[in-house]
Amino acid sequence: ILDVSADTTEQILPLTASQRDLFIDTLMNPQTQYNSFAYVLDIAREINVSVWHKALLALHAEQPLLRAKMVSCSASYAESAYQIIEKKRPIKLDIQDLSQEPLDDTILQKEIQDCIHWQYNLPKDSLVYNSILKVSNQRFISVLTVHHMLMDGIGAAVYLNRLCEIYDLLMA
């Protein structure tokens, strides 16, 4: 009833009632920003972007839910949608070097907002997006954008904390 492969799928889970509502809302209103939220981390030191990406890979490897996608099911005897936890899922990391551009707070806020506002194409899109904005050699901004189906604000704070822990371990 679901178009999934045992070779690529780790687990199949039903949606909670809240997730189902958000899933339906995203399908019905793909342009809405209601279902997406972001955390912005202003980092006042140099970041090794390739190590940051490795930290993201490690975090997604240890947390299966971060590899989830949501898929519809049309069978009348089944749930309307499911979470598919994939064994491996590409991680989207957008990197923008703004260090050579004249930036004021208005322009920087617009760049951050552009990272935050995603229109999710379920089930194709990832539910987690990461962006790095290089403002200068000693200032980077990390933007985590997440669909509410996957986590809430507390979960995002835990995500960023763990990401920073892994990054520091890899840099040691």
Side-chain angles (χ1 to χ4, degrees):
I1 62 173
L2 296 172
D3 186 23
V4 296
S5 165
D7 294 336
T8 60
T9 302
E10 184 173 312
Q11 195 173 14
I12 300 173
L13 302 166
L15 301 183
T16 65
S18 177
Q19 286 175 316
R20 186 178 57 249
D21 290 347
L22 290 167
F23 180 79
I24 292 168
D25 188 52
T26 301
L27 292 178
M28 300 298 290
N29 304 300
Q31 75 285 352
T32 184
Q33 299 304 312
Y34 173 75
N35 299 325
S36 185
F37 73 96
Y39 263 57
V40 177
L41 187 61
D42 198 337
I43 304 167
R45 66 176 177 156
E46 186 174 1
I47 293 293
N48 181 321
V49 176
S50 69
V51 175
W52 189 265
H53 188 252
K54 288 178 185 174
L56 283 168
L57 291 170
L59 178 58
H60 285 240
E62 76 179 26
Q63 297 295 326
L65 194 58
L66 299 174
R67 298 187 310 272
K69 69 178 181 179
M70 308 300 178
V71 297
S72 297
C73 179
S74 59
S76 62
Y77 55 85
E79 296 288 333
S80 60
Y82 289 88
Q83 293 181 65
I84 308 299
I85 310 296
E86 296 181 312
K87 292 178 181 175
K88 204 170 196 182
R89 186 152 177 90
I91 296 174
K92 185 167 179 59
L93 176 60
D94 288 327
I95 303 164
Q96 295 181 48
D97 186 349
L98 306 173
S99 62
Q100 303 302 314
E101 299 177 27
L103 284 178
D104 61 19
D105 284 342
T106 304
I107 294 170
L108 185 56
Q109 287 304 315
K110 183 193 176 311
E111 292 291 339
I112 292 169
Q113 289 302 314
D114 288 347
C115 294
I116 292 171
H117 296 296
W118 290 102
Q119 290 186 11
Y120 294 93
N121 179 5
L122 302 176
K124 295 177 184 174
D125 287 349
S126 175
L127 300 175
V128 180
Y129 291 96
N130 291 276
S131 302
I132 290 281
L133 305 176
K134 179 180 180 182
V135 179
S136 71
N137 287 338
Q138 293 298 314
R139 183 176 181 207
F140 288 75
I141 296 177
S142 171
V143 181
L144 167 67
T145 306
V146 182
H147 197 292
H148 267 296
M149 284 188 294
L150 196 57
M151 68 177 84
D152 59 10
I154 293 171
V158 170
Y159 175 99
L160 286 172
N161 186 52
R162 182 66 182 135
L163 176 60
C164 291
E165 286 175 1
I166 295 170
Y167 175 81
D168 288 340
L169 286 170
L170 291 172
M171 288 298 292

